[in-house]
Amino acid sequence: MANVVSNFNAFSGPSLSPPAPPAWRPDGLFDPAVADRYGVTPREAAAKIRTGIICNPKSHRNRSSVEATKPFLSGTVLAVTPRTQAELAEVLTDFARHGIELLVIDGGDGTIRDVLTAAARVWTGAAPRVAIVPSGKTNALALDLGIPDDWTLDQALTAARDGTVKVRSPIEVVRKTDGTRLHGFLFGAGAFVHATALAQRTHRAGAFNGVAVGLALCWAILQTLFGGANSAWRAGDRMRIRYQGGAAPAYAAGANADTDRARYLMLASTLQHMPVGIRPFGTPREGLKTLVVDAPPRWLAAATPLIVTGSPAAWLDRAGYHRIDSASLDLSMGSGFILDGEVYPGGDLTVREGKPLRFVVP
């Protein structure tokens, strides 16, 4: 069983928080000015909000492991370190049964993907607010939300007290053969799979977050430019793509055709801001956005700076660089895909915008 720091039954017991009625507004949130005057601390605030904390002890620089969270524990705050997917599902089920209002995820993008994937099976209706403590090798969601790299659990609990949130919808990837679902924020296929493998090497070399992503993508482009006409990077992977709705532009017929063809790269994301300031989808905006690049990529040296800076140049689409917004798409491919850093086998998939979630932000 997962390492449960506090007993789940504590949720039904007496609260350990001291009485401070003047600090509370009618909506159940703290009034920061009054709270400061009465010396109410973030841990006491958390004791008023039923909080479940998922800690990933394997995260690159985990700050709030089980030992570090002990000072924050009370009758309504639980910290858990699940070691397996089965334990994670069990913990989240217990969290839901005890009515948590705040789910804290201490880890990187991969941890967030695993927790949100499991949570979507538990909370089929309204989900609790989510707070991120970015402690992984890559923290793209935290960067998009404006969460600083050094944000602590204490600061996350303070923000939860003050009630500031941003809404983001994850990508939902559904495997048609068995209905299994994944939830994440950055989907990639083709050259992006190879680039992510290179990013793992840059992690071992000490580069993290957007730096690792940027270095990997630069190396992938160099491999494509100088790898020769028969390079595997240039050949791409065969994909069948069919957009089902949204704002796919009419000029994207080549990318939208329901036929198998080689694609150099496919990216999809619901993030509004990407690492290191790149803009592969153009102007930052809400919704599910995709970039599809035909293989072999044409005029890559000229197109790359325009793609990464979000240029709307019309010739990019004619050259095979298609930016398409859509609420949902069907995708068939034999090769694998990446979701938030993890490789999964290909197949017949639906990629769509998932249910909106409320994230606690500074």
Side-chain angles (χ1 to χ4, degrees):
M1 174 60 186
N3 185 358
V4 180
V5 179
S6 181
N7 192 295
F8 285 117
N9 292 329
F11 270 151
S12 58
S15 172
L16 300 185
S17 60
W24 293 97
R25 300 197 302 252
D27 60 5
L29 298 175
F30 265 172
D31 180 330
V34 178
D36 292 341
R37 183 190 314 160
Y38 283 84
V40 180
T41 66
R43 68 186 65 179
E44 292 163 354
K48 287 288 189 179
I49 305 171
R50 292 186 174 223
T51 302
I53 305 172
I54 299 292
C55 307
N56 182 358
K58 297 180 181 179
S59 287
H60 167 59
R61 46 181 173 73
N62 192 289
R63 308 180 194 78
S64 50
S65 63
V66 170
E67 290 302 316
T69 58
K70 280 186 177 180
F72 294 94
L73 298 178
S74 76
T76 55
V77 181
L78 306 177
V80 188
T81 56
R83 306 284 176 170
T84 66
Q85 295 291 333
E87 287 182 358
L88 175 60
E90 182 180 352
V91 165
L92 291 174
T93 299
D94 280 329
F95 281 0
R97 185 168 63 248
H98 289 92
I100 69 163
E101 301 161 284
L102 176 68
L103 175 62
V104 179
I105 306 174
D106 182 4
D109 291 331
T111 304
I112 296 169
R113 177 203 60 234
D114 290 345
V115 173
L116 294 186
T117 295
R121 294 191 290 267
V122 174
W123 284 280
T124 56
R129 289 181 298 160
V130 181
I132 304 298
V133 179
S135 58
K137 293 179 179 178
T138 58
N139 304 287
L141 176 59
L143 291 170
D144 179 51
L145 293 170
I147 296 174
D149 191 48
D150 59 353
W151 217 33
T152 64
L153 177 59
D154 194 343
Q155 291 170 313
L157 295 176
T158 299
R161 175 193 77 179
D162 296 339
T164 304
V165 299
K166 287 184 179 178
V167 177
R168 292 289 185 274
S169 297
I171 293 176
E172 184 177 54
V173 182
V174 183
R175 193 172 297 278
K176 294 184 178 181
T177 52
D178 57 13
T180 58
R181 302 181 181 187
L182 297 168
H183 289 77
F185 287 88
L186 183 58
F187 176 99
F192 189 73
V193 176
H194 308 300
T196 299
L198 291 174
Q200 300 301 324
R201 300 179 193 174
T202 61
H203 288 160
R204 289 193 291 270
F208 301 100
N209 287 325
V211 175
V213 175
L215 286 175
L217 291 176
C218 287
W219 182 244
I221 292 169
L222 289 174
Q223 288 278 5
T224 306
L225 288 173
F226 301 108
N230 296 323
S231 167
W233 288 84
R234 294 181 59 83
D237 297 312
R238 301 199 70 83
M239 304 179 196
R240 182 191 298 269
I241 305 172
R242 168 63 66 179
Y243 290 91
Q244 299 297 333
Y251 61 71
N256 200 36
D258 190 16
T259 57
D260 282 323
R261 66 155 298 161
R263 314 286 186 180
Y264 169 68
L265 174 75
M266 178 180 179
L267 292 178
S269 184
T270 51
L271 298 177
Q272 295 185 29
H273 302 91
M274 299 292 289
V276 294
I278 61 174
R279 294 185 172 186
F281 310 109
T283 303
R285 60 197 182 278
E286 298 179 355
L288 178 60
K289 303 162 289 288
T290 68
L291 169 69
V292 177
V293 180
D294 297 337
R298 301 169 60 194
W299 305 324
L300 184 61
T304 295
L306 299 181
I307 288 292
V308 298
T309 58
S311 170
W315 70 264
L316 288 170
D317 183 72
R318 295 193 296 270
Y321 299 82
H322 312 287
R323 290 186 179 121
I324 304 170
D325 289 10
S326 179
S328 176
L329 62 95
D330 292 327
L331 174 64
S332 297
M333 58 184 180
S335 56
F337 66 90
I338 294 282
L339 185 66
D340 291 345
E342 185 76 15
V343 182
Y344 296 91
D348 295 327
L349 311 169
T350 295
V351 180
R352 63 194 182 197
E353 188 174 349
K355 182 176 65 176
L357 299 172
R358 298 168 297 151
F359 290 92
V360 172
V361 296

